[in-house]
Amino acid sequence: QVLLVESGGGSVQAGGSLRLSCKVYGYAYSSDCLGWFRQAPGKEREGVAARDTDGTTTYTDSVKGRFAISRDNAENTLYLHMNSLKLEDTAMYYCAEDRSLIAYNCKADQMPHARWVGQGTQVTVSS
């Protein structure tokens, strides 16, 4: 059983920054695939970023250069640092984990299909 608890969402003006956190409970894997996906109203889930245990990261094209995924192993916490936020970044953001995705190189676009998903945190970007 894996429990993922997100925090850090909120409202911000375009061009601003937010940092999302995801506290991970329930396992001590030697390797895993952790990441984020988002879902805007009326749209499909979109993989945002992923990170494997070795530190390899991938991002969807629309956030490259603006978002960064990182992990604090001591705190068992995953982060998503979001800079230069745009109106189109508005969505519910979900933390996800699925070690089986390691076999598929732990890509951002796989995160919407991850086995374990948190409750989500809302990010709203306004003009």
Side-chain angles (χ1 to χ4, degrees), residues 2-43:
V2 176
L3 178 63
L4 307 170
V5 181
E6 302 99 331
S7 61
S11 297
V12 64
Q13 287 192 320
S17 299
L18 281 174
R19 187 186 75 167
L20 305 184
S21 300
C22 173
K23 184 75 172 179
V24 182
Y25 300 92
Y27 74 88
Y29 296 151
S30 60
S31 61
D32 60 24
C33 175
L34 278 161
W36 299 87
F37 68 88
R38 64 189 179 186
Q39 188 167 26
K43 294 189 176 181

Side-chain angles (χ1 to χ4, degrees), residues 19-122:
R19 187 186 75 167
L20 305 184
S21 300
C22 173
K23 184 75 172 179
V24 182
Y25 300 92
Y27 74 88
Y29 296 151
S30 60
S31 61
D32 60 24
C33 175
L34 278 161
W36 299 87
F37 68 88
R38 64 189 179 186
Q39 188 167 26
K43 294 189 176 181
E44 293 186 354
R45 293 179 172 186
E46 176 188 29
V48 175
R51 184 189 187 281
D52 68 15
T53 311
D54 294 333
T56 301
T57 58
T58 64
Y59 300 91
T60 190
D61 286 346
S62 64
V63 308
K64 285 180 180 177
R66 300 188 298 121
F67 290 12
I69 187 172
S70 66
R71 178 174 182 172
D72 184 333
N73 290 325
E75 297 293 327
N76 239 17
T77 301
L78 183 75
Y79 298 101
L80 185 67
H81 308 265
M82 305 187 295
N83 300 308
S84 302
L85 282 160
K86 302 177 180 180
L87 297 180
E88 52 264 41
D89 294 319
T90 295
M92 185 72 80
Y93 283 72
Y94 298 88
C95 177
E97 191 280 336
D98 191 337
R99 62 191 307 228
S100 73
L101 295 178
I102 297 171
Y104 302 95
N105 297 318
C106 190
K107 300 294 187 183
D109 60 3
Q110 298 161 344
M111 298 318 300
H113 310 290
R115 179 179 182 187
W116 303 104
V117 180
Q119 83 285 354
T121 186
Q122 177 68 37

